[in-house]
Amino acid sequence: MKIYADNAATTKISENALAVMIENMKLYFANPSSLHTPGQLAKEQLEQAREEIAQAIGAKPREIFFTSGGSESDNQAICSAAYAGKRKGKNHIITTTVEHHAVLHTMAKLAKDGFEVTYLPVDEDGWLDPQLVREAIREETALVSVMYANNEVGTLLPVKEIGAICKEKKVPFHTDAVQAVGHVPVDVREIGCDYLALSGHKFHGPRGVGALYVRMGARIDNLIEGGAQERGKRAGTENIPAIVGMATALKEALNQLEENMEKTAALRDYLEAGLSKISHSKINGSGAERVPGTLNICFEAIEGESLLLLLDAKGIAASSGSACTSGSLDPSHVLLALGLPHEVAHGSLRLSVSEENTYEQMDYIIEQVKEVVSYLRSISPVWESLKKGEKEYIFK
Ligand SMILES: *Cc1c(COP(=O)(O)O)cnc(C)c1O
């Protein structure tokens, strides 16, 4: 059996999005900045996609800027707000310990440039108490950046409450909604954010394309200099095939949102019920509201990378955390932020399902994970000492 269960890393492109992209490349190849008719027809395609993306998140078309993906959108939002603040003497930024590296590494860069960054802690489910945001805001706070949904455990953070606090305190608020858009209802006015990042390939659109919502009146500066595309804020000839593919995928996801959410959550819960029977394991984030498809579990005395490779050999594509950290032997910063000790954070498995998965596949995953976990434990010296009572179990 071949099972793709790594939808938080990327999703399979939808057939409709693919068809629209191919058609777009054939029919609308002209440069949308050109004044001739073919150029203007291409521009119409671009602007229609902008309207669709805007509508999908409750924004106005003028508030949507197309980018190369979630990472670029995060970078642009954070840097724009940070430097706008700095010009007014504000050099403090608030974020969380569980953000994606697109946010955390941008923060690290800003810290080197003189900004003071506060990393708010989360609880054991990865949830952030909005009151912590209120308490952390100061006179010199230039930006609050809190993700909508975590990519490793799926936890939904209380962005509406945080948005309201930021509005009251008049501090710009950015949210990385890459894992939320297309998976749960997202409305920028309800959140009350100034910036919101989304990415096409996380909701069955193509890779290498995303969007940044910038509230009318919020500051936006370009990362890339050049032509006057995207109203002068993002130079470079627009990747229209990818943009229309993203818009098509998002419309499709939203047309079936409730149905998909229900189906995906039921599959995830079924998988979770089966896997949680494995002894000395812990489901991460299960005490919080989560996006429907994501499941993160830690196993005592297991090395995540070995688990992944053995599952891959059985046809199961999963992840041991975020794709960006796999390959390194450091445990996930997110799992550590949830308070898990290093040794168990290493033994993590992320399975992220979509509406395209089946119960038969869930049964197969449960069976294979059980088998691989017992095999790895049978050859583990750590497991041996736990069994002998020389070491204490972390998960009872
Ligand atoms: C995938 C992801 C990103 C990065 O998006 P890209 O389009 O791959 O650059 C940023 N934030 C979160 C939460 C993500 O899951």
Side-chain angles (χ1 to χ4, degrees):
M1 214 184 264
K2 290 263 176 286
I3 303 173
Y4 186 74
D6 199 15
N7 287 277
T10 198
T11 55
K12 183 178 155 204
I13 193 156
S14 98
E15 290 296 329
N16 283 336
L18 189 59
V20 166
M21 288 173 74
I22 291 170
E23 186 201 56
N24 186 277
M25 282 188 262
K26 287 183 183 166
L27 299 181
Y28 303 103
F29 60 86
N31 191 319
S33 297
S34 298
L35 290 179
H36 46 62
T37 304
Q40 290 312 296
L41 289 175
K43 181 149 179 80
E44 265 174 33
Q45 295 283 310
L46 174 67
E47 293 314 317
Q48 192 190 325
R50 195 185 311 279
E51 272 173 38
E52 290 167 357
I53 296 281
Q55 196 182 5
I57 59 168
K60 295 195 183 80
R62 283 174 63 84
E63 296 173 313
I64 301 298
F65 295 84
F66 291 118
T67 66
S68 67
S71 301
E72 184 183 332
S73 296
D74 281 332
N75 274 258
Q76 192 170 9
I78 294 166
C79 291
S80 294
Y83 289 106
K86 195 172 189 180
R87 288 189 289 271
K88 291 185 234 161
K90 301 182 180 203
N91 68 343
H92 176 233
I93 305 173
I94 298 167
T95 189
T96 78
T97 48
V98 293
E99 300 296 313
H100 189 273
H101 283 136
V103 170
L104 289 180
H105 291 172
T106 304
M107 295 298 172
K109 188 172 86 172
L110 291 170
K112 277 192 193 147
D113 198 25
F115 285 91
E116 186 193 336
V117 184
T118 298
Y119 296 92
L120 296 176
V122 295
D123 70 9
E124 61 164 356
D125 289 311
W127 186 79
L128 172 70
D129 181 351
Q131 288 315 311
L132 294 182
V133 176
R134 181 184 291 282
E135 287 159 19
I137 291 176
R138 309 177 196 153
E139 202 55 50
E140 63 278 12
T141 304
L143 172 71
V144 171
S145 180
V146 175
M147 72 196 324
Y148 196 142
N150 183 267
N151 47 303
E152 292 191 36
V153 292
T155 307
L156 288 162
L157 285 90
V159 288
K160 287 171 199 162
E161 287 80 355
I162 295 166
I165 292 168
C166 291
K167 229 177 204 173
E168 181 196 322
K169 300 278 186 183
K170 298 190 169 58
V171 176
F173 175 40
H174 166 60
T175 185
D176 173 346
V178 173
Q179 290 286 334
V181 172
H183 298 277
V184 294
V186 172
D187 184 305
V188 292
R189 309 276 174 232
E190 264 179 39
I191 303 168
C193 54
D194 298 277
Y195 308 92
L196 178 142
L198 63 90
S199 173
H201 73 104
K202 302 292 174 78
F203 48 76
H204 303 287
R207 271 167 272 197
V209 66
L212 175 62
Y213 157 79
V214 182
R215 183 185 55 74
M216 206 88 83
R219 181 77 207 182
I220 175 78
D221 295 313
N222 36 356
L223 292 180
I224 298 172
E225 304 294 341
Q229 292 92 353
E230 298 298 291
R231 307 216 322 280
K233 301 304 181 189
R234 205 284 184 175
T237 304
E238 300 87 342
N239 185 356
I240 304 184
I243 289 168
V244 299
M246 170 168 71
T248 303
L250 186 53
K251 265 194 303 185
E252 200 176 1
L254 296 188
N255 279 339
Q256 310 156 357
L257 186 63
E258 258 177 56
E259 200 184 314
N260 284 349
M261 282 176 70
E262 227 171 86
K263 185 168 179 215
T264 310
L267 284 166
R268 190 265 318 270
D269 294 346
Y270 181 84
L271 185 59
E272 185 165 310
L275 293 180
S276 58
K277 293 204 184 89
I278 297 175
S279 73
H280 306 286
S281 67
K282 181 175 192 275
I283 306 285
N284 297 308
S286 59
E289 263 190 80
R290 282 173 293 169
V291 282
T294 305
L295 163 59
N296 190 302
I297 182 166
C298 283
F299 301 103
E300 189 135 8
I302 292 287
E303 215 278 293
E305 313 286 313
S306 317
L307 179 56
L308 264 194
L309 292 176
L310 291 173
L311 288 176
D312 182 49
K314 311 254 186 191
I316 299 167
S319 162
S320 66
S322 68
C324 329
T325 53
S326 54
S328 82
L329 280 175
D330 293 332
S332 141
H333 69 279
V334 174
L335 298 180
L336 295 180
L338 265 54
L340 290 165
H342 269 74
E343 56 264 50
V344 285
H346 265 302
S348 75
L349 175 68
R350 181 185 70 185
L351 291 154
S352 42
V353 298
S354 86
E355 64 286 350
E356 288 173 10
N357 291 108
T358 64
Y359 284 95
E360 196 192 352
Q361 293 179 335
M362 299 302 109
D363 283 330
Y364 180 76
I365 296 176
I366 294 165
E367 183 194 316
Q368 295 305 322
V369 172
K370 278 184 181 164
E371 218 176 284
V372 171
V373 167
S374 5
Y375 165 69
L376 287 173
R377 282 177 172 170
S378 75
I379 57 167
S380 156
V382 177
W383 187 247
E384 189 65 22
S385 20
L386 286 165
K387 274 200 311 188
K388 282 190 190 145
E390 294 163 5
K391 256 183 87 151
E392 284 218 23
Y393 288 105
I394 293 169
F395 303 140
K396 302 293 171 211

